[in-house]
Amino acid sequence: MTAQGSGEDGAQNIEISGVLERVRTGVDAFDELVMGGLPRARTTVVGGTPGSGKTVFATQFLAHGIKTFNENGVLVTFEEPPGDIEANMSGFGWELAKWRKEGRLAFIDASPPITDELVIGDFDLEGLLSRIKHAVKTVNAKRVVLDSLTQLFDHFIGDPKILRRELFRISTALKKAGLTVLMTAERNSEYGEITRHRLEEFVADNVVILRNLLYREKRRRTIEVLKMRGSHHAEGEAPFTLLAGRGVVAIPLSSLRLEQQSSTVRVTSGNSAIDEMCGGGFFRDSVTLVSGATGTGKTLLVTNFLAGGVAAGERAILFGYEESKGQLFRNATGWGADFAGMEADGKLKIVCLYPEAQGLPDHLLTIQQLVDEFKPNRIAVDSLSALERIAPETGFREFLISLTSFIKKREIAGLCTATSKSLVGGESASEQHISTMTDSIILLRYIQEQEIMHRGLMVLKMRGSEHAKEIRRFTIDGAGMHLGEPFQHAPNVFKE
């Protein structure tokens, strides 16, 4: 065992068999990306364009230490006055002013005067270091944030190499005192230089990048761990969002594991004929995709799925993105299902949202929160295609990975719908990035025989189970869906 950077307060950067002691940031998914948190007594630079969430991330790091681990902090601000930061961060539930009065948080206001411009040649930051050390000792701090170094560079005119040298001296001194340091810095673009003034190679053990990319008039936020010295970390970007009362909430796609158990228990689809085609029904922890053109009966299958669960004594939840709650109630009544009564009995919950109302990470977090609150046995999403149109291809796939992983981890029976672009089908489910993530696929298609257009249903895939291979005719009336005989000479519209 080796101890590095032991300070007067006893804080150490302890390394046992190559494993660094970790400091959790309060962004749970990010902590998973960096294998448990930031290494203690090291320096992290968080870079991002204006509005990417750097100050929120840094403040959350301090707030989590104070609230959860009784690790007091120091916030050095080079840009916003402390009063503005306290007001801006109160919406996330962080009582900075209260903690400051209680001696748990210290502010160092290094923001420049509005009218003065300092022109400096040869200088040092010894005065700033002394103020930080005094504040650390006063509140017995374990965490320090410097926000934002870019403002410090922009304020001083002179040789930037001197300022980098002084920042390195401050960073080294704080690390030797056993302090975990987080510095924020601005970038000029989402993909380019890590920071505007090239700070990372001089002061950082770790580099984290926050991005806030504009796509189709919507912002998509991601977080990336670019560098973690002496420590393994997940690679690539992970989506995140900013939520009132919570702060930064990230989605750890890279750390998702296929560790859930596979259930052999069958549950009804809500239609006995479809259950028979699937070998006895859906598996309890499976996710089923229903793909079909508009009007083929996708929402009807959702209705049967939900009503069948309630009839079996289960609780069910529906997230609708194409129709209003009133429309869903009316449709269900037309097929003999009393959604209003089920909801009044507390057995069913229906949530209808416009896809454009928020980004995909926010939709996912809404689903997760409501599922954890309602604790259903089955969940339906109608439809994924409505959500697909508001996100880039990568973002939609990330959403699907997280959604299906969440459903499986909770061991909930899931049913999702997707709309084929062609009325007669032929659109590959794989092209919608869904088929490989679902356990079962049911295809609904229009099939023309001479002058008559029929509806056809086929079970394309059923993991872990035998299933019917034929294409069955079906009709829809006031009592719901009725499956008939297989087509004898159906056109080739069901192939992938």
Side-chain angles (χ1 to χ4, degrees), residues 388 393 396-397 400 428-437:
E388 184 179 10
E393 179 177 313
F396 183 60
R397 184 171 180 83
L400 291 174
S428 171
S430 298
E431 293 177 6
Q432 302 181 48
H433 318 291
I434 304 171
S435 64
T436 58
M437 303 177 202

Side-chain angles (χ1 to χ4, degrees), residues 217-263:
E217 301 179 353
K218 289 285 184 180
R219 289 287 177 181
R220 177 175 180 264
R221 299 179 184 272
T222 63
I223 187 168
E224 178 185 7
V225 183
L226 187 66
K227 166 185 165 185
M228 192 68 57
R229 182 172 292 160
S231 174
H232 180 65
H233 63 86
E235 298 181 351
E237 298 178 71
F240 78 93
T241 188
L242 300 178
L243 293 181
R246 296 182 65 182
V248 177
V249 180
I251 302 170
L253 300 176
S254 298
S255 61
L256 294 174
R257 299 287 184 267
L258 297 174
E259 297 174 343
Q260 69 278 354
Q261 299 296 319
S262 295
S263 174

Side-chain angles (χ1 to χ4, degrees), residues 266 277-281 283 461-469:
R266 301 271 189 168
M277 292 183 69
C278 293
F283 286 117
K461 180 176 80 170
M462 188 81 184
R463 279 185 184 146
S465 173
E466 284 293 325
H467 60 86
K469 306 300 191 296

Side-chain angles (χ1 to χ4, degrees), residues 408-420:
K408 288 174 176 293
K409 188 174 182 180
R410 295 297 189 280
E411 296 187 359
I412 302 171
L415 183 73
C416 303
T417 69
T419 303
S420 300

Side-chain angles (χ1 to χ4, degrees), residues 179-214:
L179 296 162
T180 307
V181 184
L182 193 152
M183 304 179 178
T184 69
E186 289 189 4
R187 311 179 70 205
N188 291 323
S189 62
E190 302 298 349
Y191 296 93
E193 294 289 344
I194 297 174
T195 59
R196 186 183 300 170
H197 295 291
R198 300 292 299 272
L199 302 171
E200 61 284 345
E201 62 238 50
F202 294 93
V203 298
D205 299 299
N206 318 310
V207 176
V208 175
I209 295 178
L210 304 180
R211 294 188 175 93
N212 188 23
L213 199 64
L214 181 65

Side-chain angles (χ1 to χ4, degrees), residues 131-192:
R131 293 176 66 186
I132 295 175
K133 286 182 175 179
H134 176 71
V136 167
K137 185 176 180 180
T138 300
V139 299
N140 189 26
K142 301 294 187 297
R143 306 182 182 203
V144 175
V145 164
L146 282 70
D147 180 46
S148 137
L149 295 183
T150 304
Q151 298 303 315
L152 180 64
F153 268 74
D154 290 345
H155 180 55
F156 290 110
I157 299 177
D159 187 351
K161 293 181 181 178
I162 299 175
L163 188 51
R164 291 191 186 107
R165 180 198 67 198
E166 292 300 308
L167 286 175
F168 180 76
R169 187 157 67 91
I170 290 177
S171 173
T172 301
L174 297 179
K175 286 162 59 178
K176 285 183 178 179
L179 296 162
T180 307
V181 184
L182 193 152
M183 304 179 178
T184 69
E186 289 189 4
R187 311 179 70 205
N188 291 323
S189 62
E190 302 298 349
Y191 296 93

Side-chain angles (χ1 to χ4, degrees), residues 13 125 170 211 232 299 354 364 368 373 435:
N13 180 28
L125 296 178
I170 290 177
R211 294 188 175 93
H232 180 65
T299 302
Y354 281 111
L364 177 65
Q368 291 176 343
E373 290 175 359
S435 64

Side-chain angles (χ1 to χ4, degrees), residues 2-18:
T2 61
Q4 302 173 347
S6 182
E8 294 178 358
D9 58 6
Q12 295 178 333
N13 180 28
I14 300 175
E15 184 174 348
I16 303 175
S17 301

